């Protein structure tokens, strides 16, 4: 979320908006409605590089969020490129780069990466277009796709659109361009675009599509996507899907169920993060996760997914790091097991795998990730994600809940393969009584490969977890 509010506040809203896409009724006439002329747009640039053929199917993605300013000492593309092997080693196959565009520097600026000054250029703070291409090329060579963060809702006040196309913005009664306002909070550093303006929408989509050609990227994460009309997203997504040379992954930072009908591959798991916060931080029952599997997937069809996480750039700075929030390194890992395995696509925020306890606050310039300080944490992430990649049941299986107040427990089934996951959500040992159908069964430990015979109970240490398959 771009406007540096706590995503935790949003995450506790468990009611998803109803679909805005109603069924169309016949007009009772055979005469088709006239098609309005399509205004011209900037031609697509020449394709750079060769379209990447290794983009994972959307249900098989493991995402990694890169905050350029914090990721390396240089705070640039080159710093990310230098660590691509380390990212791949985790089991990641999709990089999601926070905004890479020039940002506003006018008097209203607060140095936000989400205040875009030019949608078609690269922020010199991070390097050049050549440097970005080197990052994308390096990721592709390591079989990782790359998504760019796209800020559709608003621009900086010194974006040329302000003077060249003032009609592309929302205006007040006095004719002044309005800042972004949401639920009583106004964000004065950014100007609100008007999505009823056809020309603005076409130029926005043209600029968006240009990055597929200019940098050979493989998709987009769309910031603040709850606040634009669904018909804009359908227009944008239909245009992107018509780029037949590329398989693109499209993620809405949004919880609207109608996004699935618009064509997004993914919604963002705000509510599941809220569940993790309430269960691990505030002591709510682990059974809370079960209902979220239904509500967050409302409207999803086929292999459409929800991206789930235990931290990101918003909540890391506002709520705290997973280590800070969820009971140290062990609690943070237990929370990620639930986020990564219960249902959906997992996402890691840079530094999470280093066991960082220090927050990276907005505007992300004061803290650098300290790599290599907690190798045990990285090993645990790699072990878990390797198990997920090697098991269809863990990756895409249909879950069946068996949770108690203190243990998140579920099975997952895909074809003839079954998995069984137990995660202690408390900082004390818990005894879990197995359901009758799971008692006295034999499994393979998905993390170690060893055989494990279950009796009628499992004793889990504080924040302990078990991942089994057969």
């Amino acid at each position: 979320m771009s406007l540096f509010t706590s995503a935790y506040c949003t995450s506790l809203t468990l009611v998803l908006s109803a679909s805005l896409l109603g069924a169309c009724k016949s007009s009772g006439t055979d005469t088709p409605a006239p098609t309005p002329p399509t205004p011209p747009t900037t031609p697509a640039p020449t394709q750079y590089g060769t379209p990447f053929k290794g983009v994972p199917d959307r249900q098989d993605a493991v995402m990694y969020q890169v905050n350029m300013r914090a990721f390396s000492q240089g705070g640039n593309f080159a710093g990310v490129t230098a660590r691509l092997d380390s990212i791949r080693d985790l089991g990641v196959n999709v990089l999601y780069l926070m905004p890479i565009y020039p940002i506003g520097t006018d008097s209203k600026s607060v140095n936000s990466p989400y205040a875009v000054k030019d949608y078609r250029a690269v922020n010199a703070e991070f390097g050049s277009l050549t440097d970005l291409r080197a990052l994308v090329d390096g990721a592709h060579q390591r079989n990782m796709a790359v998504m760019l963060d796209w800020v559709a809702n608003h621009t900086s006040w010194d974006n040329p659109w302000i003077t060249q196309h003032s009609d592309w913005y929302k205006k007040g009664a006095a004719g002044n361009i309005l800042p972004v306002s949401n639920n009583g909070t106004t964000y004065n550093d950014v100007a609100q675009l008007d999505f009823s303006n056809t020309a603005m929408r076409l130029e926005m989509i043209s600029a968006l599509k240009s990055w597929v050609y200019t940098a050979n990227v493989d998709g987009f994460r769309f910031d603040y996507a709850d606040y634009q009309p669904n018909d804009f997203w359908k227009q944008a997504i239909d245009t992107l899907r018509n780029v037949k040379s590329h398989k693109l992954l499209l993620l809405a930072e949004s919880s609207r169920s109608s996004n699935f009908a618009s064509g997004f591959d993914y919604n963002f798991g705000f509510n599941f993060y809220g569940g993790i916060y309430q269960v691990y931080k505030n002591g709510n029952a682990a059974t809370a996760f079960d209902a979220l599997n239904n509500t967050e997937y409302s409207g999803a069809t086929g292999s459409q997914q929800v991206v789930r996480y235990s931290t990101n750039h918003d909540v890391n700075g506002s709520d705290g790091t997973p280590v800070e929030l969820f009971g140290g390194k062990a609690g943070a890992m237990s929370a990620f097991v639930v986020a990564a395995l219960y249902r959906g696509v997992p996402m890691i925020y840079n530094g999470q795998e280093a066991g960082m306890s220090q927050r990276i606050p907005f505007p992300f310039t004061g803290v650098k990730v300290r790599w290599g300080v907690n190798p045990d944490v990285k090993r645990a992430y790699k072990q878990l994600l390797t198990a997920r990649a090697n098991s269809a049941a863990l990756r895409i299986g249909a879950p069946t809940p068996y949770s108690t107040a203190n243990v998140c427990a579920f099975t997952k089934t895909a074809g003839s393969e079954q998995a069984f996951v137990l995660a202690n959500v408390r900082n004390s040992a818990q005894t879990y009584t197995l359901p009758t159908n799971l008692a006295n069964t034999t499994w393979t430990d998905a993390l170690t490969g060893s055989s494990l015979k279950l009796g009628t109970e499992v004793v889990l240490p504080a924040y302990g977890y078990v991942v089994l398959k057969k």
Side-chain angles (χ1 to χ4, degrees), residues 450-461:
S450 61
S451 178
L452 180 64
K453 175 68 182 295
L454 298 178
T456 58
E457 294 181 337
V458 175
V459 179
L460 295 167

Side-chain angles (χ1 to χ4, degrees), residues 123-456:
N123 188 346
E125 174 188 352
F126 304 136
S128 65
L129 174 60
T130 298
D131 297 322
L132 173 62
R133 287 170 167 175
L135 195 168
V136 174
D137 289 344
H140 289 169
Q141 290 162 11
R142 293 162 176 82
N143 209 34
M144 292 186 289
V146 180
M147 300 167 64
L148 299 185
D149 209 338
W150 192 262
V151 189
N153 186 69
H154 47 263
T155 73
S156 69
W157 290 96
D158 52 359
N159 188 305
W161 289 4
I162 291 281
T163 54
Q164 296 172 7
H165 304 286
S166 65
D167 58 317
W168 291 6
Y169 292 84
K170 288 276 192 180
K171 294 185 179 180
N176 55 305
I177 295 175
L178 296 174
V180 174
S181 184
N182 176 37
N183 294 330
T185 302
T186 298
Y187 304 94
N188 289 307
D189 69 308
V190 282
Q192 177 65 63
L193 289 165
D194 181 359
F195 283 84
S196 68
N197 188 293
T198 299
M200 186 280 291
R201 288 164 64 137
L202 287 171
E203 175 55 24
M204 171 76 69
I205 294 168
S206 175
L208 171 65
K209 186 173 71 170
S210 73
W211 288 100
V212 178
Y213 300 103
T214 300
N216 200 22
V217 299
D218 310 295
F220 299 90
R221 177 264 195 191
F222 294 97
D223 179 69
Y224 208 59
D226 270 332
Y227 298 93
Q228 298 81 51
N230 285 103
D231 64 354
F232 166 73
W233 288 125
K234 188 171 191 316
Q235 180 185 5
I237 291 168
D238 286 351
T239 301
L240 290 171
R241 298 294 187 207
N242 278 325
V243 182
K244 301 302 184 184
S245 56
H246 287 70
K247 177 181 178 180
L248 300 176
L249 299 176
L250 306 176
L251 162 62
E253 191 212 15
S254 169
S255 59
R256 289 189 300 197
S257 60
S258 53
N259 288 328
F260 291 121
S262 296
F264 283 105
D265 296 296
Y266 309 103
N267 257 355
F268 213 51
F270 287 117
N271 296 330
F272 204 82
Y273 169 77
I276 290 172
Y277 187 101
Q278 291 293 346
V279 169
Y280 282 84
K281 177 72 173 175
N282 292 337
N284 283 17
T287 51
F289 297 124
D290 304 336
L292 289 167
N293 275 337
N294 296 321
T295 56
E296 282 204 325
Y297 275 82
S298 175
T301 60
S303 60
Q304 289 175 312
Q305 299 291 322
V306 176
V307 173
R308 288 178 167 172
Y309 53 88
S310 55
T311 190
N312 63 37
H313 71 286
D314 278 318
V315 299
N316 177 282
S318 59
D319 296 355
T321 69
V323 170
E324 179 185 356
L325 289 176
F326 305 138
K329 293 192 298 183
M333 196 64 216
S334 173
F336 185 73
V337 168
V338 177
L341 298 186
Y342 204 161
R343 190 177 183 185
V345 165
M347 185 184 80
I348 299 170
Y349 178 50
N350 58 201
Q352 179 178 346
E353 77 275 29
M356 281 187 71
S357 57
Q358 184 180 12
R359 302 183 188 189
I360 306 174
F362 177 87
F364 320 118
T365 55
V367 174
K368 301 293 186 181
V369 176
R370 295 177 60 213
W371 297 111
V373 292
N374 289 295
D376 56 323
V377 175
K378 183 176 180 180
R379 281 194 300 271
Y381 275 89
K382 180 179 179 180
Q383 184 185 54
L384 184 72
L385 293 176
T386 298
R388 182 182 182 277
N390 291 335
S391 167
L394 288 173
R395 198 170 61 254
I396 61 172
T400 300
Y402 293 99
S403 298
T404 64
N406 298 322
V407 176
C408 179
F410 51 89
T411 59
K412 297 180 76 175
T413 303
S416 60
E417 186 180 355
Q418 189 176 28
F420 181 31
V421 178
L422 297 135
N424 182 358
V425 303
R426 307 295 179 222
N427 193 18
S428 59
Q430 300 293 325
T431 300
Y432 177 82
T433 301
L434 290 161
T436 303
N437 62 315
L438 297 173
N440 302 307
T441 51
T442 301
W443 300 78
T444 297
D445 188 320
L447 304 178
T448 66
S450 61
S451 178
L452 180 64
K453 175 68 182 295
L454 298 178
T456 58

